[in-house]
Amino acid sequence: MTRGGAALRDEARTPYRRSGLRRWLDALLPAHCHGCGVPVAPDNDACVCINCRLRLERPPAPRCSRCDHPAHFAVGECPGCEILPEVLETVRSAVVLRPPADALVHAFKYGGWRSLAPFLAARMRPLLPGDARALVPVASPRKRERERGFNPPQLIAEVLAGTTGIPLVHALRRPRESRRQVGLSPEERKANVRDAFVPAVDHLDGPDHHVLIDDVFTTGATSTAAAAALQAAGAERVSVLTFARALPSLFPGDDAS
């Protein structure tokens, strides 16, 4: 299916639920699972089959209590925590970025399937810190957002805000265009997003717990840069919550997003 066809179906699903036009579109553009491609029922709004739902994996235990890196290390020796700024308290991800999670993320970010946002958000919601006071979507460059028609982290954050009542705060801007992170080494990723984010507000309430929302956690370079911008705006407590986490060191051959 072309990107245009995917976008047409995606936009048509919500406003025409149970309508004659909805049934016509279901017949014209039959639904297929975003994870494996098998046909799914027309009322499966997320277009994720039961097998793919069951195949989604949590990061393996034991995990670091701070950064959620799936390996056991003594306190202060976790390699996943090395690049994290002090202001960043915790990192949590719902699943590991391996099939079918990688296909779901790709369909959401690059295929125009915005109807996946509630599915991703539902798996992230149980991992929200209990004292979270604000949800901050990781900002995209304006050019990239115009190309996609939406900002993926913002769409997830909007769903989470609507289902939890936690306020959504647009506290970050990304004024300059940077290279896509896909395929870059950890050092290149870090350099690519250095100073990429700036505060979009004059001041944040420091004691409140601000939770950065993103789709994928890879090396932590983006989260580190975004947390630094929030700290510059006055945030004293920041956590990160994503749908998927890339673990290339544990799963050779997996593609980082």
Side-chain angles (χ1 to χ4, degrees):
M1 182 184 299
T2 64
R3 181 175 180 178
L8 172 62
R9 181 179 179 86
D10 194 61
E11 292 196 2
R13 294 182 69 84
T14 301
Y16 295 104
R17 188 173 301 174
R18 300 188 183 92
S19 71
L21 180 57
R22 166 66 185 274
R23 291 191 295 272
W24 181 82
L25 284 170
D26 286 332
L28 181 65
L29 301 171
H32 291 79
C33 173
H34 294 305
C36 65
V38 303
V40 295
D43 59 353
N44 187 332
D45 285 340
C47 289
V48 182
C49 73
I50 185 63
N51 286 336
C52 284
R53 292 169 188 252
L54 295 174
R55 287 170 59 207
L56 291 172
E57 302 175 50
R58 287 279 294 129
R63 299 188 295 272
C64 173
S65 60
R66 182 189 180 202
C67 77
D68 218 28
H69 191 286
H72 180 70
F73 297 96
V75 175
E77 296 180 0
C78 173
C81 292
E82 289 180 354
I83 71 165
L84 302 184
E86 187 175 347
V87 69
L88 214 168
E89 290 191 356
T90 62
V91 177
R92 295 291 183 269
S93 299
V95 302
V96 173
L97 188 68
R98 62 187 317 185
D102 54 352
L104 299 182
V105 170
H106 191 275
F108 178 54
K109 292 179 68 171
Y110 307 113
W113 285 94
R114 286 171 282 182
S115 56
L116 274 167
F119 179 86
L120 307 184
R123 277 135 192 86
M124 296 164 62
R125 179 177 174 176
L127 301 178
L128 276 168
D131 60 348
R133 292 293 178 268
L135 305 177
V136 181
V138 170
S140 293
R142 290 184 178 180
K143 179 182 178 182
R144 199 168 300 166
E145 188 169 342
R146 285 196 301 269
E147 290 173 350
R148 288 177 176 157
F150 68 105
N151 175 24
Q154 178 178 325
L155 209 57
I156 294 173
E158 288 174 352
V159 175
L160 287 171
T163 56
T164 64
I166 301 173
L168 187 154
V169 180
H170 296 283
L172 294 173
R173 289 191 302 110
R174 197 166 179 175
R176 67 177 179 85
E177 185 75 20
S178 56
R179 296 167 60 193
R180 294 187 184 275
Q181 297 281 72
V182 178
L184 300 183
S185 69
E187 287 303 316
E188 288 173 331
R189 284 172 174 267
K190 186 176 179 180
N192 191 43
V193 295
R194 184 178 293 119
D195 302 322
F197 299 96
V198 297
V201 294
D202 293 332
H203 182 73
L204 292 171
D205 198 358
D208 280 352
H209 196 168
H210 295 81
V211 182
L212 278 167
I213 302 298
D214 206 352
D215 42 55
V216 175
F217 184 95
T218 306
T219 64
T222 298
S223 299
T224 296
L230 292 182
Q231 186 176 28
E236 295 178 4
R237 303 179 61 209
V238 178
S239 287
V240 173
L241 177 59
T242 73
F243 170 68
R245 179 170 186 142
L247 303 173
S249 61
L250 294 184
F251 304 111
D254 283 357
D255 291 328
S257 175

